[in-house]
Amino acid sequence: MSEPYVSIQLQHDHTLPLYRQLYFQLKQAIKSGILPPGQKLYSIRRLASELGINTVTVVQAYRCLERDGLAVAQVGRGTFVSNLTGLNEKESPFSPNSVNNISRAAPDSWQVPVSPQAINFATLTPAAELFPVDDFQSIINQILARDRGQAFGYQESQGYYPLRCSVAQYLAKRGIVCDAESIQVISGAQQGIDLIARSLLSAGDRVLTESPTYTGALASFRARGAQVIAIPLQEDGVDIDALQQQIKIHQPKLMYVMTNFQNPTGICYSVAKQQALVEICHHAGVVLIEDDSFTELAYDGFERQAIKEWDKDNQIIYIKSFSKILMPGLRLAFMLAPQPLQPKLMAAKHIADISTSGLLQRAFDLYLRQGLWISHLDYMKQCYLARYKQIVQAMRTSLPPQAGFSSPGGGLCIWIEGHAGLSANRLYESCLKNGVIIAPGSHFFPDNRDSNFFRLSFAALSEDAISQGIPIIARQLRMLGTADHEPRRCFSPLL
Ligand SMILES: Cc1ncc(COP(=O)(O)O)c(C=O)c1O
């Protein structure tokens, strides 16, 4: 189909972000029929280049259109004007009010094609060469010899009972007392967050999150039609005054937090803030969700505590994933929920996938019982520590002095504040052109705003790759430091 003419006028000095301007103008063109149903929109790269903006801005505008049900992204083909635009938005399965609207929430819509040679500071996924493949092969062989066909039957929805017992023992060593009956095995932490959203939220409910936060959680809450209320993070945890104020205004149902080595900032809450958070939420009747992917990854010798340890009244839903230390492809995690919430969560798990793979649950149970998990955790901490030291040192040596960051002492990422006026979205673009991938802050702020913040992760990179990549980022930062002060141009492209 040929491309109709649409004039886009973007004003760089306008208070409305560029992506909102682009979104509104495209929306207008769709509503007025200039862009008819089925029309293919310009490719992200082409439109970005025509308009002289970065691709992230176009992705954000297209994503807003998808959320409204006005456009549909097709893998490998591009983005098309939806055929449903004539429908009343409320009736459309793509309506922003519809809990069935998955496109608005797709966390993967932000994925970029990555060349295998690229130095990827954007992913938190551990490098495959660190996976304990030989140990797992041996464990799976033992399970097959022991359980034969049983290993391939349907598993109890709540999870393989012996695994739940091993997990309860493991948690007890970390100061979290529970029994196997309160544990729900889940297919990754993301599934846990999603099950909570499905079973506890309705359209219009409010959920508090840290700002910035993990984007997959935002996606799950929004997929239920919930409104996300962002609470700013300070160096030692969320801003408690803002938290109290927002609770009063919005009476939220849930609050989602990561109190140790938070993704993306690496922040650890002070003990005082952990306790205040638990108390405030308890008194306000807000269910706390603790996503604990990183607590064990402390490299500075100080062990951190999960807030679940303070949870005397059993108010917190605790989620723990094994993706970042073991292997993300196992899709194994577990959830510990207050008793009154368990039946709903268990029902949601059954509806979602009946059960997490029985074979892998049995294998992981044996892995824990044979002490392999503990030795693997030690090994991963050693590897991550070497990478952490390397990235901190390379950043101290190479980054311009205007770029600030603090060393979190653990976790898998470092949050950097570039010089004032930096657009991290533009930095992302220019790094990408130079074979380096970073994660701009817009990905993690609930309102997707561009800013001078970005996240670097060292999980997937060797020390060599880290020392090659950081100077490239530093160079791009310096270049944008001057380019950002150039007067910006307006474009009027044809679409
Ligand atoms: C904070 C946080 N929670 C959950 C997840 C998803 O983890 P899983 O692989 O267990 O679903 C991630 C993945 O990066 C994450 O960073």
Side-chain angles (χ1 to χ4, degrees):
M1 189 182 278
S2 66
E3 289 156 344
Y5 290 90
V6 176
S7 165
I8 303 277
Q9 306 273 354
L10 298 181
Q11 294 177 22
H12 288 260
D13 52 0
H14 200 286
T15 48
L16 197 63
L18 288 174
Y19 83 95
R20 300 288 295 173
Q21 295 182 39
L22 180 57
Y23 154 63
F24 286 134
Q25 291 180 43
L26 288 171
K27 183 173 177 170
Q28 184 57 33
I30 293 171
K31 292 264 178 193
S32 64
I34 295 173
L35 289 172
Q39 171 70 46
K40 184 171 183 197
L41 298 180
Y42 261 13
S43 79
I44 289 164
R45 275 190 195 286
R46 182 165 171 197
L47 184 54
S49 131
E50 296 274 357
L51 290 169
I53 56 180
N54 65 55
T55 55
V56 178
T57 306
V58 181
V59 169
Q60 287 174 322
Y62 281 11
R63 199 200 270 173
C64 292
L65 293 173
E66 286 175 51
R67 284 179 191 169
D68 287 355
L70 295 172
V72 181
Q74 294 185 11
V75 179
R77 294 193 59 217
T79 303
F80 294 81
V81 176
S82 164
N83 287 321
L84 298 166
T85 53
L87 292 178
N88 172 325
E89 283 195 351
K90 282 213 164 104
E91 292 165 16
S92 157
F94 295 103
S95 157
N97 297 322
S98 166
V99 293
N100 296 323
N101 180 358
I102 46 167
S103 67
R104 68 181 302 191
D108 288 350
S109 60
W110 218 84
Q111 283 184 349
V112 287
V114 173
S115 126
Q117 285 78 38
I119 304 178
N120 191 347
F121 287 96
T123 180
L124 284 186
T125 305
E129 72 263 14
L130 302 179
F131 295 164
V133 177
D134 293 339
D135 280 349
F136 235 77
Q137 185 176 19
S138 147
I139 288 277
I140 290 201
N141 286 339
Q142 291 174 57
I143 294 294
L144 294 182
R146 187 191 74 187
D147 296 353
R148 311 286 305 160
Q150 296 288 335
F152 296 102
Y154 277 121
Q155 198 61 62
E156 193 187 342
S157 269
Q158 196 180 344
Y160 178 58
Y161 185 74
L163 172 61
R164 287 190 276 130
C165 296
S166 330
V167 166
Q169 274 175 22
Y170 171 65
L171 285 177
K173 286 189 198 132
R174 294 191 43 206
I176 300 174
V177 180
C178 65
D179 52 28
E181 277 62 37
S182 18
I183 291 172
Q184 170 71 59
V185 177
I186 46 182
S187 306
Q190 181 62 38
Q191 183 179 60
I193 300 165
D194 202 53
L195 296 181
I196 295 167
R198 281 162 190 258
S199 42
L200 305 185
L201 291 177
S202 309
D205 282 343
R206 277 94 196 240
V207 178
L208 303 178
T209 66
E210 296 150 334
S211 176
T213 189
Y214 167 55
T215 186
L218 292 173
S220 283
F221 301 140
R222 288 184 168 143
R224 291 300 299 173
Q227 187 188 344
V228 170
I229 313 290
I231 311 291
L233 271 173
Q234 298 170 326
E235 273 178 17
D236 59 347
V238 279
D239 178 336
I240 293 289
D241 290 341
L243 172 66
Q244 287 174 313
Q245 202 181 14
Q246 295 301 327
I247 287 180
K248 252 192 218 143
I249 299 171
H250 294 288
Q251 287 122 33
K253 267 199 179 163
L254 303 175
M255 176 161 188
Y256 168 80
V257 292
M258 293 158 269
T259 64
N260 292 310
F261 308 119
Q262 199 257 6
N263 177 15
T265 61
I267 280 172
C268 289
Y269 282 47
S270 64
V271 169
K273 274 215 172 157
Q274 283 196 336
Q275 289 173 334
L277 177 70
V278 174
E279 259 170 48
I280 291 166
C281 287
H282 177 46
H283 286 298
V286 178
V287 176
L288 262 175
I289 306 165
E290 175 174 27
D291 181 347
D292 180 8
S293 293
F294 309 107
T295 296
E296 287 132 323
L297 293 176
Y299 316 129
D300 55 6
F302 297 108
E303 293 303 320
R304 302 329 195 262
Q305 272 181 293
I307 51 169
K308 187 68 186 163
E309 293 182 40
W310 305 112
D311 186 24
K312 291 184 201 65
D313 302 301
N314 199 13
Q315 294 288 310
I316 298 176
I317 305 180
Y318 175 78
I319 298 176
K320 171 126 204 78
S321 168
F322 296 101
S323 290
K324 305 299 177 214
I325 297 172
L326 196 54
M327 298 182 272
L330 284 181
R331 307 311 301 133
L332 262 182
F334 66 87
M335 178 161 65
L336 193 55
Q339 205 284 326
L341 305 181
Q342 287 170 15
K344 271 189 169 178
L345 291 169
M346 284 175 195
K349 168 67 182 173
H350 187 84
I351 293 166
D353 64 358
I354 302 179
S355 83
T356 297
S357 156
L359 172 65
L360 295 177
Q361 289 190 63
R362 284 156 200 262
F364 188 54
D365 175 47
L366 205 54
Y367 196 76
L368 283 169
R369 287 172 193 271
Q370 294 187 355
L372 293 169
W373 163 253
I374 295 296
S375 47
H376 182 66
L377 174 61
D378 285 346
Y379 168 73
M380 290 301 279
K381 275 175 78 171
Q382 290 311 314
C383 297
Y384 284 150
L385 170 64
R387 290 165 185 212
Y388 171 75
K389 281 185 175 163
Q390 186 67 35
I391 196 169
V392 170
Q393 200 220 323
M395 284 168 55
R396 284 198 181 125
T397 315
S398 305
L399 292 192
Q402 297 87 343
F405 68 96
S406 49
S407 327
L412 294 178
C413 54
I414 300 187
W415 185 241
I416 294 123
E417 180 173 12
H419 56 267
L422 170 77
S423 155
N425 284 351
R426 295 179 77 191
L427 178 67
Y428 159 83
E429 278 295 318
S430 51
C431 287
L432 194 61
K433 282 186 196 135
N434 286 277
V436 171
I437 308 172
I438 63 159
S442 54
H443 194 40
F444 308 101
F445 288 112
D447 59 3
N448 294 131
R449 69 170 184 273
D450 191 10
S451 68
N452 56 339
F453 288 95
F454 58 100
R455 186 193 75 181
L456 298 183
S457 169
F458 46 90
L461 295 175
S462 67
E463 286 143 81
D464 277 354
I466 290 170
S467 40
Q468 270 178 47
I470 295 293
I472 297 176
I473 299 171
R475 212 160 39 243
Q476 301 314 309
L477 266 173
R478 287 199 172 84
M479 284 169 64
L480 286 177
T482 48
D484 265 358
H485 299 301
E486 283 172 7
R488 289 174 171 158
R489 291 171 295 160
C490 281
F491 292 84
S492 180
L494 302 175
L495 190 76

